[in-house]
Amino acid sequence: MHSDKEDCAHQGPGSGPGGLTRRKALKMMIAGAMATSVAPFAALTARAALPPQSCSGHLALYNLHTAEALKIRYLDRRGAFEPKALRRLNHFFRCHHTNQVHPIDPRLYLLLDRLPQSLGAQGRRFELVSGFRSEDYNRLLRQKSGQVAKKSYHVQGMAADIRLEGVPMASIHQAAQRLKAGGVGRYDEFIHVDVGPVRSW
């Protein structure tokens, strides 16, 4: 099942000097590293973002639909995003139904990076159930289930349905909620995470 409760408007950036500074820093790093590959995310907000300094810069992933495995460093030693790594990740997170590649919001990678650390499960591999979804695929899923959002964050490259090897679903769900980096939903076969407004179900 590919379910999500995502029909929420984006929230604005946090107020105060601290939020503005983090926002500017994140925008500068992204603009410098990925001028073309993530253009739709040039105006990222700090409200649902994790600082790159809190992340390991590495991800280990397995795509359940394509049987692809990927271990990659996506942040350099300065904490800036690696353009080549992001292009590889965009391809890895492509729509498995249409093979369409779409830029993924880099904040999603920061969120996935922090999850194993917060659980004491560093080095564990994520199993990707669903990353980016094309409009056609999302429409197909909506025909099969009324729980799939019309304006899904998957279609915007801002969500992933995941499992973490050896870690109970309940633990992943709770850890993602504690990070307060976006939306978190618990389902029988996976945990939905996105970098939209902070909410849970």
Side-chain angles (χ1 to χ4, degrees):
M1 179 184 295
H2 299 262
S3 305
D4 43 27
K5 297 182 180 178
E6 305 172 281
D7 288 320
C8 298
H10 288 281
Q11 297 179 356
S15 59
L20 186 59
T21 300
R22 290 192 300 273
R23 179 184 180 185
K24 286 183 177 179
L26 188 56
K27 286 173 67 176
M28 287 173 61
M29 282 188 292
I30 293 171
M34 309 164 294
T36 58
S37 63
V38 291
F41 308 111
L44 296 179
T45 66
R47 189 177 186 87
L50 293 165
Q53 293 82 357
S54 70
C55 300
S56 72
H58 295 82
L59 286 171
L61 304 146
Y62 179 76
N63 190 314
L64 292 173
H65 293 283
T66 65
E68 293 171 293
L70 180 65
K71 294 184 74 172
I72 193 166
R73 182 184 184 111
Y74 70 99
L75 293 177
D76 66 20
R77 293 180 180 179
R78 297 176 293 111
F81 293 102
E82 291 274 11
K84 290 182 179 179
L86 291 180
R87 286 194 290 271
R88 289 185 67 189
L89 283 163
N90 287 344
H91 184 263
F92 185 89
F93 276 71
R94 69 192 181 277
C95 177
H96 67 268
H97 184 73
T98 64
N99 219 36
Q100 180 182 346
V101 177
H102 185 280
I104 302 298
D105 188 324
R107 295 175 299 176
L108 187 62
Y109 302 138
L110 298 176
L111 169 57
L112 293 177
D113 189 348
R114 283 290 290 128
L115 265 176
Q117 294 185 64
S118 67
L119 287 161
Q122 295 91 329
R124 298 287 181 90
R125 187 170 70 169
F126 279 106
E127 295 177 338
L128 181 67
V129 179
S130 183
F132 167 69
R133 295 181 197 156
S134 66
E135 294 277 3
D136 288 344
Y137 185 45
N138 200 65
R139 192 178 303 113
L140 178 64
L141 293 177
R142 279 178 56 77
Q143 291 172 356
K144 296 179 178 180
S145 171
Q147 292 183 299
V148 177
K150 183 177 182 179
K151 296 182 180 179
S152 172
Y153 284 109
H154 285 278
V155 176
Q156 302 175 55
M158 297 172 64
D161 296 336
I162 49 94
R163 302 195 294 243
L164 187 57
E165 288 181 340
V167 180
M169 296 291 182
S171 298
I172 302 170
H173 186 249
Q174 292 167 7
Q177 285 181 302
R178 287 194 297 269
L179 290 176
K180 298 185 184 299
V184 184
R186 181 179 175 181
Y187 299 95
D188 292 339
E189 300 297 325
F190 59 82
I191 300 298
H192 168 97
V193 293
D194 65 56
V195 287
V198 176
R199 66 214 187 283
S200 64
W201 61 92

